[in-house]
Amino acid sequence: MKPLTAGVTKANEGIDAISWNILGQTYVPKMLSEDSFSWHATFPPGTFVPPHIHPTQDEFIYMLEGRLDLVLDGQESHALPGDLIKLPRNIPHGLFNKSDAPVKCLFWVAPTGRLYDLFWAIHSMKEQNPAEVVALSARYEIDFLPPPPEGA
């Protein structure tokens, strides 16, 4: 991994012009170092990240546009532009765009761990089959939770 360099990453640019499709969302990596990794995310209406845990990372989301619904440690909440979502390691969380408008936000994790590599692996899948994404993610230190029982 390259050391962090000083500078400005412009609004419509990312690292090496990378843009990933992750579960129907668009992720553009903005900064990468061993200590931290950030990316701009666009969640189209109806997209989501199922409940999961980062056992080795703290995660943060700064809201830019839209409303993001979330489940944080079993409790439902939401965030709006200007809000900061704090997701400590080992706390289960899921993210959902239940609105009819896109959500735009800036994510970052600390430390980087294997998340950058996981995004490449998911983006490179022929089909992002949920069961295969869950199995792949576990190999990169992200643990998805089983779905709730029927009728729960």
Side-chain angles (χ1 to χ4, degrees), residues 14 21 30 38 41 51 68 71 73 75 78 111 123 127 132 137 144:
N21 173 10
K30 296 297 218 172
S38 70
L68 193 60
V71 176
D73 205 13
Q75 301 298 311
H78 70 275
H123 175 76
E127 290 183 37
E132 291 176 16
S137 297
F144 280 91

Side-chain angles (χ1 to χ4, degrees), residues 68-87:
L68 193 60
D69 288 280
L70 58 135
V71 176
L72 177 57
D73 205 13
Q75 301 298 311
E76 293 187 15
S77 187
H78 70 275
L80 299 169
D83 290 346
L84 176 67
I85 302 168
K86 300 170 286 196
L87 306 167

Side-chain angles (χ1 to χ4, degrees), residues 16 35 45 86 100 106 112 132-133 138 141 152:
D16 299 328
D35 297 321
K86 300 170 286 196
D100 59 359
L106 179 72
T112 297
E132 291 176 16
V133 170
E141 302 175 336

Side-chain angles (χ1 to χ4, degrees), residues 46-78:
T47 62
F48 62 96
V49 178
H52 63 284
I53 295 171
H54 298 253
T56 62
Q57 299 166 307
D58 296 319
E59 183 173 26
F60 305 89
I61 307 166
Y62 183 77
M63 294 293 297
L64 301 169
E65 291 179 24
R67 175 190 166 118
L68 193 60
D69 288 280
L70 58 135
V71 176
L72 177 57
D73 205 13
Q75 301 298 311
E76 293 187 15
S77 187
H78 70 275

Side-chain angles (χ1 to χ4, degrees), residues 23-144:
L23 301 172
Q25 297 128 37
T26 302
Y27 292 179
V28 176
K30 296 297 218 172
M31 188 282 303
L32 176 66
S33 75
E34 190 172 319
D35 297 321
S36 185
F37 167 43
S38 70
W39 65 98
H40 180 277
T42 301
F43 283 64
T47 62
F48 62 96
V49 178
H52 63 284
I53 295 171
H54 298 253
T56 62
Q57 299 166 307
D58 296 319
E59 183 173 26
F60 305 89
I61 307 166
Y62 183 77
M63 294 293 297
L64 301 169
E65 291 179 24
R67 175 190 166 118
L68 193 60
D69 288 280
L70 58 135
V71 176
L72 177 57
D73 205 13
Q75 301 298 311
E76 293 187 15
S77 187
H78 70 275
L80 299 169
D83 290 346
L84 176 67
I85 302 168
K86 300 170 286 196
L87 306 167
R89 67 190 73 198
N90 290 315
I91 300 296
H93 58 278
L95 309 167
F96 307 86
N97 181 357
K98 297 178 180 179
S99 76
D100 59 359
V103 169
K104 294 186 179 185
C105 48
L106 179 72
F107 281 75
W108 69 97
V109 294
T112 297
R114 302 189 64 207
L115 195 57
Y116 180 85
D117 297 328
L118 172 61
F119 287 165
W120 267 121
I122 294 173
H123 175 76
S124 299
M125 297 174 83
K126 241 182 186 164
E127 290 183 37
Q128 293 182 12
N129 169 301
E132 291 176 16
V133 170
V134 167
L136 177 67
S137 297
R139 295 194 306 264
Y140 288 85
E141 302 175 336
I142 302 296
D143 301 323
F144 280 91

